[in-house]
Amino acid sequence: MVVFAGQGDARRSMELLWGPRVVAPRTGPGPKPGLSVEAIVEAAIDIADADGMASLSMRSVGERLGRTAMALYTYVPGKTELVDLMYDRTLGELPSSYPVSSGWRAAAFALADALWELHLRHPWLLQVSPARPVLGPGEFHVQETLLSVLAATGLPLTRVRWVVSALFNIVRGSVQAAAESRQAARETGLSEEDWWYARSALLGELVPDLTARFPTVSRLGDEGGYEAPSDEPYLEREARLSFEAGLELLLDGVEAAIVKASGPR
């Protein structure tokens, strides 16, 4: 399921993204607080975190707040604008300060790790396509933070922007496998360990010449490439290792570019 942001009314979405979060006054007696854009967005994020984007609707958000769906439309025009607000608000959780006193590379690792954790806390973020940016403060915050850390390399910003994109894509691509591993166990009721054991045993029975047909893959297994600790699902571990390895290689390339830009000594 892919969700494209930026599909609602452009002016209303941008006003909601950049405008103040005003709490409406109460309209009658009773303990219910007035609704606000912020309360609606928080409730929507809670639903998406718990049950995924498929469970998100104006009705489900209204029910969570003890209101009807119609009561929400005064604050948010519809689900499309709500997704923009959710996405941007969640990106705003990324810390803004990553001191480069210990070097830009350490700061870049810390930032990438925070992005990884952010996406695991809110796996529905991976369903929101970056093809249509929301252009809100949260999105600008992430870009500013990434650029400021990697600008410490001394490379021109015109080159740093591509490093930022590559880093973000490494995080997003790797963490998706980890998030889907968790989702698969939850939705199928079958642990990853049980799934692998059931099928790996059949491979030996049904494909006795597997090693001969796929020698490099088999060699990886012989060298321990498929071993995983018992307390960590295999695919989640592989996703994390892929993330770390990809990031290492990317930053190695950045260091090489720094050396090249400095010229011969």
Side-chain angles (χ1 to χ4, degrees), residues 32-51:
K32 288 183 179 179
L35 283 175
S36 67
V37 172
E38 195 69 17
I40 293 168
V41 173
E42 287 179 3
I45 290 172
D46 288 343
I47 291 169
D49 285 349
D51 303 312

Side-chain angles (χ1 to χ4, degrees), residues 18 115 125 134 139 145 175 185 191 199 205 224 244 261 264-265:
W18 291 95
L115 278 170
L125 285 173
V134 300
E139 205 166 53
T145 304
V175 78
S191 73
R199 282 157 179 77
E205 174 188 337
E244 293 173 352
R265 295 181 179 179

Side-chain angles (χ1 to χ4, degrees), residues 4-212:
F4 291 98
Q7 298 302 296
D9 178 82
R11 174 170 290 278
R12 187 66 180 125
S13 288
M14 297 295 282
E15 288 173 346
L16 287 168
L17 285 163
W18 291 95
R21 302 289 191 257
V22 179
V23 178
R26 296 184 182 183
T27 57
K32 288 183 179 179
L35 283 175
S36 67
V37 172
E38 195 69 17
I40 293 168
V41 173
E42 287 179 3
I45 290 172
D46 288 343
I47 291 169
D49 285 349
D51 303 312
M53 289 291 277
S55 299
L56 180 70
S57 67
M58 297 298 279
R59 179 178 178 180
S60 65
V61 175
E63 289 175 349
R64 191 174 187 89
L65 294 169
R67 304 299 180 92
T68 64
M70 291 300 297
L72 309 185
Y73 290 113
T74 301
Y75 304 86
V76 180
K79 182 179 174 181
T80 51
E81 291 86 359
L82 180 57
V83 168
D84 290 359
L85 293 168
M86 293 166 59
Y87 183 75
D88 198 72
R89 160 70 183 277
T90 303
L91 291 182
E93 293 179 14
L94 186 75
S96 58
S97 178
Y98 293 88
V100 295
S101 54
S102 297
W104 65 266
R105 186 166 181 136
F109 261 102
L111 173 53
D113 194 63
L115 278 170
W116 170 280
E117 294 298 334
L118 176 69
H119 283 82
L120 273 188
R121 284 198 308 274
H122 306 289
W124 55 269
L125 285 173
L126 298 163
Q127 294 176 256
V128 181
S129 171
R132 293 289 189 271
V134 300
L135 301 179
E139 205 166 53
F140 275 94
H141 159 68
V142 171
Q143 289 185 17
E144 177 70 20
T145 304
L146 283 160
L147 282 169
S148 62
V149 166
L150 290 166
T153 61
L155 293 173
L157 280 180
T158 51
R159 298 197 68 185
V160 167
R161 63 178 293 201
W162 301 120
V163 180
V164 165
S165 295
L167 186 150
F168 193 80
N169 288 335
I170 286 171
V171 174
R172 187 177 170 101
S174 300
V175 78
Q176 184 158 7
E180 289 179 358
S181 173
R182 295 182 179 186
Q183 181 184 1
R186 184 172 63 250
E187 293 190 6
T188 65
L190 188 66
S191 73
E192 189 171 283
E193 183 180 50
D194 290 341
W195 187 93
W196 278 106
Y197 277 141
R199 282 157 179 77
S200 61
L202 288 171
L203 274 176
E205 174 188 337
L206 301 174
V207 196
D209 61 342
L210 184 69
T211 299

